[in-house]
Amino acid sequence: MKVTHLNCSDISGGAARAAYRIHHALRQQGIDSRMCVANAQAGDWTVMGPQSKWSKAISKLRPLLGALCSKSLSSGNSTFNSLAILPSNRSKNLNASDSGVIHLHWVNDEMMSISDIARLNKPIVWTLHDMWAFSGAEHYPEHQRWQEGYTKENRPDSERGLDVNRWVWKHKRKHWQRPFHIVTPSHWLADCVRKSVLMGDWPLTVIPNAIDTEKWSPVDKALARQLLHLPEDVPLLLFGAIGGVSDFRKGFDLLQASLLHLQGLMPDLELLVLGQLAPKHPQGFGFPMHYTGHLHDDVSLRLFYSAADAIVVPSRQDNLPNAGVESLACGTPVIAFDTCGLPDIVRHKHSGYLARAFDIEDLAWGIQWVMQDEKRNDELSQNARTDAVARFSYSIVANQYSRLYQSLVSSV
């Protein structure tokens, strides 16, 4: 069994990290897995990226050209858009390869065009990391056109210029006549696929993202705090800030409002902000704040997860965020809203707390419930680690993909 994964990058971005982990989970199980990317950063011999100066330059130029084209869409939607219109030779090369299965991931930034994907003639598995595959140009639509079909009549009033979303969606529908086997990491995204006009009747399997639970494991909390020069005797709440302040989907404003409810209720609470340097003008949550700065290695991330008593992920819309899975693996309870892919990570009052969707008072109560009782927090931490090993470890996820590959190859 030979499998080739395609993703724009190997380790840059959430989808890349998820795809890279799946790739190595398969290799650990003896599957001949390779990865093909447009931007190789890991220095991994199992990852194939551009080799010549010319091909590297072209790979950097393609997303810039795609971004210029997408500017013809004027929309109130701040989400990232992808047209996928620039042709490449990837389909031809993949069809001529000895791979038995082509496994697509996040192939945007003009890595492959819509017609490129259609020309693949081998069994295809496509793990979705957002909603782009069955939407227009948007990766997270803020309307229901993906459920209704993109017509002239249902275009949002906020959009101006060429209806790029409708054009991209029609282009997909025209070219993707042969259904691919879709994989979603969360049941929420699977439900979205089933409701979509484009892929509603395509074969679909839910398989979570993988994490190496041998490497991602708890560090003694006192030791982690000592190494990171963090206070040892106060409750520490972790949250991520990479893009979170400006990204409406990430719910940073909901977290901010929730923390206001905790002032006076948890006077000794301190905040640990992941992935950001201290800003010139701090947000002013009313609690002491510690900034991790920009982290570039898994060891540092593991230490920060282990140092925290809990992590809060206040997303309005998310698939299966890596931060939640990584936290569980490090024995850190997760606090989130009961929406989208978060229930696939958190078991309510078992490995964390799921607040009612977008209820800031319930989120504040969840933070208290998880953090204020030391014995309860220890139990949640143990459950978090157990859940991560049972559901997200490399062998568990790789075996699910292996069975899927075998079924596809045997049916050809």
Side-chain angles (χ1 to χ4, degrees):
M1 174 67 66
K2 294 186 178 181
V3 179
T4 298
H5 299 264
L6 279 87
N7 197 78
C8 184
S9 175
D10 49 2
I11 57 173
S12 178
R17 290 169 66 85
Y20 187 72
R21 287 170 178 171
I22 292 169
H23 160 59
H24 276 286
L26 292 166
R27 292 190 63 83
Q28 282 193 12
Q29 293 302 109
I31 294 175
D32 187 355
S33 177
R34 292 165 287 187
M35 194 170 182
C36 179
V37 301
N39 179 21
Q41 296 179 326
D44 186 336
W45 68 269
T46 69
V47 176
M48 300 171 287
Q51 297 298 311
S52 67
K53 290 183 179 180
W54 173 251
S55 60
K56 290 178 181 179
I58 292 297
S59 291
K60 291 181 179 180
L61 183 61
R62 290 175 68 90
L64 298 177
L65 293 174
L68 285 174
C69 295
S70 67
K71 285 185 177 180
S72 59
L73 172 70
S74 176
S75 168
N77 187 341
S78 60
T79 189
F80 185 72
N81 293 305
S82 295
L83 302 186
I85 57 173
L86 300 180
S88 72
N89 289 322
R90 293 192 189 279
S91 297
K92 180 180 178 181
N93 295 335
L94 289 165
N95 289 338
S97 73
D98 59 354
S99 291
V101 174
I102 305 301
H103 192 150
L104 305 178
H105 293 271
W106 200 87
V107 290
N108 299 106
D109 263 353
E110 296 299 333
M111 180 184 183
M112 292 187 76
S113 70
I114 292 168
S115 55
D116 283 341
I117 295 170
R119 283 191 286 269
L120 292 169
N121 61 16
K122 295 174 181 283
I124 297 173
V125 172
W126 194 348
T127 295
L128 306 188
H129 299 279
D130 55 34
M131 301 171 70
W132 179 83
F134 53 86
S135 301
E138 330 97 312
H139 286 257
Y140 281 101
E142 295 177 354
H143 50 72
Q144 304 303 312
R145 297 177 87 189
W146 56 276
Q147 295 185 41
E148 305 164 357
Y150 286 68
T151 67
K152 294 179 180 179
E153 291 73 24
N154 65 10
R155 187 184 189 190
D157 294 336
S158 61
E159 292 186 4
R160 298 290 183 270
L162 177 67
D163 191 349
V164 174
N165 290 318
R166 180 167 180 258
W167 184 88
V168 170
W169 183 83
K170 289 178 67 178
H171 201 50
K172 292 174 183 176
R173 197 171 195 186
K174 173 185 174 182
H175 286 280
W176 295 348
Q177 297 295 314
R178 176 173 68 98
F180 320 131
H181 196 108
I182 301 299
V183 172
T184 62
S186 69
H187 287 83
W188 163 75
L189 192 56
D191 289 340
C192 292
V193 173
R194 294 187 187 103
K195 293 175 183 177
S196 72
V197 174
L198 191 63
M199 296 181 171
D201 58 352
W202 288 21
L204 172 67
T205 304
V206 178
I207 302 177
N209 292 333
I211 190 166
D212 186 346
T213 52
E214 296 295 320
K215 294 181 179 179
W216 287 85
S217 59
V219 177
D220 178 75
K221 186 176 295 184
L223 175 61
R225 293 189 180 192
Q226 182 180 0
L227 291 172
L228 297 172
H229 303 289
L230 294 170
E232 297 182 12
D233 56 352
V234 300
L236 276 177
L237 177 65
L238 177 68
F239 64 91
I242 301 175
V245 177
S246 59
D247 190 343
F248 182 76
R249 287 190 308 108
K250 296 298 183 180
F252 187 81
D253 57 316
L254 299 174
L255 172 60
Q256 189 170 17
S258 181
L259 289 172
L260 293 176
H261 284 274
L262 293 176
Q263 292 182 10
L265 299 176
M266 296 184 68
D268 55 346
L269 177 67
E270 298 193 13
L271 306 178
L272 186 55
V273 186
L274 186 65
Q276 179 179 310
L277 293 168
K280 182 177 181 180
H281 303 291
Q283 293 290 324
F285 292 108
F287 300 99
M289 301 181 71
H290 308 272
Y291 293 87
T292 69
H294 301 291
L295 304 177
H296 302 284
D297 64 282
D298 292 347
V299 174
S300 297
L301 276 170
R302 184 179 157 215
L303 281 174
F304 278 108
Y305 286 128
S306 298
D309 294 291
I311 184 173
V312 59
V313 183
S315 299
R316 288 182 169 89
Q317 196 178 42
D318 234 331
N319 180 13
L320 198 82
N322 289 331
V325 176
E326 292 165 355
S327 296
L328 291 190
C330 294
T332 306
V334 179
I335 304 159
F337 290 119
D338 186 8
T339 188
C340 298
L342 279 310
D344 284 59
I345 296 176
V346 187
R347 294 171 62 189
H348 185 50
K349 293 188 174 181
H350 178 80
S351 58
Y353 189 94
L354 287 173
R356 291 183 297 274
F358 320 131
D359 185 330
I360 57 174
E361 292 186 17
D362 196 22
L363 186 66
W365 165 245
I367 294 171
Q368 286 182 270
W369 187 87
V370 168
M371 299 183 67
Q372 283 195 316
D373 187 313
E374 186 175 345
K375 181 179 179 182
R376 178 191 296 146
N377 187 265
D378 288 342
E379 291 176 356
L380 293 170
S381 297
Q382 293 173 17
N383 294 340
R385 172 63 184 176
T386 301
D387 275 11
V389 173
R391 295 191 290 140
F392 305 115
S393 59
Y394 271 13
S395 60
I396 297 294
V397 174
N399 285 335
Q400 293 178 68
Y401 272 115
S402 179
R403 290 193 294 270
L404 174 58
Y405 296 153
Q406 293 291 350
S407 68
L408 292 177
V409 172
S410 62
S411 63
V412 174

